[in-house]
Amino acid sequence: TGLPYIIVATAPSMDGYASSTSSAIRDGIKISVNSACPTAIVADLDILCHAPIHLLQSGIGDMLAKYISICEWRISHLITGEYYCEEIASLVRNATKKCFSIENLLDRDSEAIKSIIEGLIITGVAMSFAGLSRPASGMEHYFSHIWDMRALEFNTPSNLHGIQCGVGTLLCLRIYRFISGIVPDRQKACDFVNSFSVKDWNEFLVKFLGKSADALIELERREGKYDLAEHAKRLDIIIESWGEILDIISEELPPVEQVERYMTEMGMPTTPKELGHSDEDVQAVFLATKDIRDKYVGSRLLWDLGYINEARGVCKSD
């Protein structure tokens, strides 16, 4: 509408306060739509500190997700040439590390709550600076988005966005640990993509996601990520830059055990099983993460390498 507006925050539960994009579900698919930044954000700690604990935990989960998003942003920049800004990434990286050091969340400590809300607002500002959601979301968010989409279509379990992102972050850390153990094999990658059936995959999407699959299938028709010539170009860069990719993973991602221990101390769910999801569901969601957005993430890297099916084994519900 072009009208100015003010946001009064009642919980530090997500990073959309200062963002110039908004997550919405259209035709069954979770999308990012352009919106306007608020004129002002009012975040009164006397109010925020009394928010329900699960909303405070949700804010932590949404912040922990930034470890994955910054890592994948750098990897995508290297492989696809996607725009990347280190100054914006540093804003998010520093805010995430500050939130990761919080100790008194369950006591509703005002300094702890302040760190969360500042981190969430800074992340929104970073998205506005970049003009896209890449600094704040990656594959870990896609686990959450797909769980939401399936909940609408099939009435399967869903939870707060940040809670799901926290669990998704742990899954992604395990996936990137798997990636770190790969030695790229050109023949294996080419054999895999040459045998990959887009028709069979689309049939799976329809079965797994219902009507929202149509939008994902149409997105692929426009994007062409399964195009063999484009895959060959990416594979050349991946193999040539594999050492640099491993360095990015090592530099950006903390050990999964450290994050899991921290989330447990915060009283947060750490497994998909706690959210009501089975091994089969988690593995299917993982495979679908490469299709939900026009964004290069870990599952696309695994598809390019021909290892995506093997990587399913680390995606477990407990």
Side-chain angles (χ1 to χ4, degrees), residues 48-315:
L48 298 179
C49 288
H50 289 88
I53 285 293
H54 66 284
L55 292 178
L56 305 183
Q57 294 166 332
S58 178
I60 287 286
D62 209 358
M63 285 304 300
L64 291 176
K66 308 327 176 199
Y67 282 115
I68 305 297
S69 63
I70 296 300
C71 177
E72 291 186 327
W73 196 16
R74 289 182 63 188
I75 290 173
S76 178
H77 171 67
L78 182 64
I79 296 173
T80 72
E82 178 186 349
Y83 159 79
Y84 172 77
C85 175
E86 178 55 32
E87 290 187 29
I88 295 174
S90 292
L91 280 176
V92 177
R93 191 183 291 117
N94 293 335
T96 302
K97 290 179 180 177
K98 186 175 181 180
C99 287
F100 196 25
S101 66
I102 289 172
E103 297 179 352
N104 302 316
L105 176 71
L106 300 182
D107 297 332
R108 300 178 182 277
D109 177 75
S110 61
E111 286 302 311
I113 306 303
K114 183 180 179 182
S115 294
I116 298 174
I117 190 63
E118 285 183 345
L120 293 167
I121 291 173
I122 287 170
T123 301
V125 170
M127 286 189 279
S128 296
F129 283 166
L132 71 171
S133 64
R134 177 61 102 166
S137 71
M139 182 167 56
E140 80 297 325
H141 268 58
Y142 298 169
F143 278 97
S144 179
H145 291 342
I146 295 170
W147 281 326
D148 287 344
M149 290 161 57
R150 280 180 49 79
L152 283 176
E153 183 77 9
F154 304 113
N155 200 32
T156 52
S158 66
N159 208 300
L160 289 174
H161 170 72
I163 297 294
Q164 293 182 156
C165 285
V167 172
T169 296
L170 291 177
L171 289 169
C172 290
L173 289 172
R174 291 188 172 91
I175 290 165
Y176 273 99
R177 178 177 286 179
F178 175 89
I179 290 173
S180 296
I182 291 174
V183 176
D185 182 326
R186 184 182 298 275
Q187 191 60 53
K188 175 180 174 61
C190 292
D191 288 346
F192 172 79
V193 299
N194 284 322
S195 65
F196 181 78
S197 170
V198 176
K199 178 178 179 294
D200 290 346
W201 174 245
N202 289 344
E203 289 176 355
F204 164 79
L205 286 178
V206 171
K207 181 180 178 181
F208 186 62
L209 296 176
K211 64 178 180 292
S212 62
D214 293 340
L216 299 186
I217 292 168
E218 178 57 32
L219 176 64
E220 165 54 23
R221 289 196 185 103
R222 298 195 305 269
E223 183 189 358
K225 63 178 173 289
Y226 297 134
D227 179 81
L228 296 181
E230 291 302 313
H231 168 260
K233 294 177 185 177
R234 293 194 302 269
L235 185 60
D236 284 343
I237 296 171
I238 292 168
I239 292 174
E240 181 180 343
S241 308
W242 189 245
E244 191 172 348
I245 292 171
L246 294 181
D247 287 342
I248 291 171
I249 294 171
S250 176
E251 291 165 7
E252 297 291 352
L253 301 184
V256 61
E257 295 83 4
Q258 184 181 358
V259 178
E260 185 174 30
R261 183 168 55 251
Y262 175 76
M263 290 173 61
T264 299
E265 292 171 353
M266 296 297 108
M268 300 169 63
T270 59
T271 66
K273 186 176 182 179
E274 293 173 83
L275 304 183
H277 304 294
S278 65
D279 282 354
E280 182 181 11
D281 168 71
V282 175
Q283 291 173 8
V285 171
F286 161 64
L287 293 177
T289 58
K290 62 180 169 45
D291 290 81
I292 191 159
R293 288 280 202 282
D294 181 7
K295 192 184 289 186
Y296 198 85
V297 295
S299 48
R300 292 199 182 189
L301 175 60
L302 285 161
W303 188 88
D304 280 346
L305 288 165
Y307 274 92
I308 193 165
N309 289 327
E310 289 94 325
R312 284 187 302 176
V314 303
C315 297

